[in-house]
Amino acid sequence: MNIWGFLLKCFGWKTDITVPYRDKAVICVAPHTSNWDFIMGLLAYRSLGRKASFLMKEFWFFFPLKYLLNALGGIPVKSNPTRSLTSVLIEDFKKRKHLNLAVTPEGSRSAVDQWRTGFLTIAYNANVIIQLGVIDFQHKSVFIKEEYNPTGNFEADLKNIRAYYSQYKEAALYPEKFKA
């Protein structure tokens, strides 16, 4: 057992990640209602010896925290009106040999009616699978059991993915903040 698995076990959590590890994938994680989602997801994924990158506001990449965030797979999100983050990430997927990117389609820890579709655009245009992850606080479990292949019809894809997550409202740390 590695340090990640040890810490996860100390918190009383378990993993059930049955999808194959892929060189490239977008890992969609919902519901996202707390900063604890990041910590539990990171511990679970790393406990299996897997590494995923994640997006975080550039604001957090200051000395000395930037070294830790970079080592954990953090990708700083910069405000750039001339280039979209989605375009940059599609290029990254095409250039890199390995990239697993964890995203939260809600884009916020608050209840939102409209989910962001950038993760669908990235996965479709980079020709990578989407793995559907859930951080279940009710059962203290992190699982990724399903994959979704985006069709390019982002409205239908998002509807299908939201339908999948609708069964996991009670998994959220704060269920009242989740709208599938």
Side-chain angles (χ1 to χ4, degrees), residues 140-168:
K140 291 190 169 186
S141 175
V142 177
F143 60 89
I144 309 173
K145 300 177 185 179
E146 301 290 330
E147 294 184 316
Y148 186 86
N149 195 13
T151 66
N153 180 341
F154 300 141
E155 188 176 315
D157 288 339
L158 189 59
K159 184 178 179 181
N160 291 333
I161 290 170
R162 286 183 79 153
Y164 172 80
Y165 282 110
S166 67
Q167 64 188 313
Y168 297 111

Side-chain angles (χ1 to χ4, degrees), residues 126-145:
N127 196 28
V128 299
I129 200 83
I130 298 171
Q131 297 182 330
L132 304 175
V134 176
I135 300 170
D136 185 346
F137 283 86
Q138 185 177 4
H139 298 101
K140 291 190 169 186
S141 175
V142 177
F143 60 89
I144 309 173
K145 300 177 185 179

Side-chain angles (χ1 to χ4, degrees), residues 24-27 55 75 77 84-94 99-105 116-130 148-152 154 157:
K24 298 180 183 184
V26 170
I27 305 164
L55 303 173
I75 298 173
V77 176
S84 76
L85 177 62
T86 303
S87 298
V88 170
L89 291 169
I90 291 167
E91 284 180 26
D92 278 355
F93 267 104
K94 291 180 178 179
L99 179 57
N100 282 255
L101 178 65
V103 297
T104 55
R116 297 174 185 240
T117 58
F119 76 102
L120 289 167
T121 305
I122 293 164
Y124 180 76
N125 288 296
N127 196 28
V128 299
I129 200 83
I130 298 171
Y148 186 86
N149 195 13
T151 66
F154 300 141
D157 288 339

Side-chain angles (χ1 to χ4, degrees), residues 49-62:
R50 298 180 180 190
K51 184 176 179 182
S53 294
F54 56 91
L55 303 173
M56 188 175 270
K57 291 179 184 173
E58 184 181 39
F59 167 83
W60 292 104
F61 286 78
F62 58 84

Side-chain angles (χ1 to χ4, degrees), residues 33-101:
T33 64
S34 162
N35 284 331
W36 282 103
D37 302 336
F38 169 75
I39 294 165
M40 302 319 294
L42 177 70
L43 290 174
Y45 210 65
R46 287 290 184 103
S47 75
L48 299 175
R50 298 180 180 190
K51 184 176 179 182
S53 294
F54 56 91
L55 303 173
M56 188 175 270
K57 291 179 184 173
E58 184 181 39
F59 167 83
W60 292 104
F61 286 78
F62 58 84
F63 178 83
L65 189 57
K66 69 180 177 180
Y67 296 107
L68 175 63
L69 294 173
N70 286 328
L72 292 174
I75 298 173
V77 176
K78 302 172 185 172
S79 246
N80 186 345
T82 60
R83 274 192 91 205
S84 76
L85 177 62
T86 303
S87 298
V88 170
L89 291 169
I90 291 167
E91 284 180 26
D92 278 355
F93 267 104
K94 291 180 178 179
K95 288 178 190 174
R96 294 189 195 191
K97 187 174 181 179
H98 302 282
L99 179 57
N100 282 255
L101 178 65

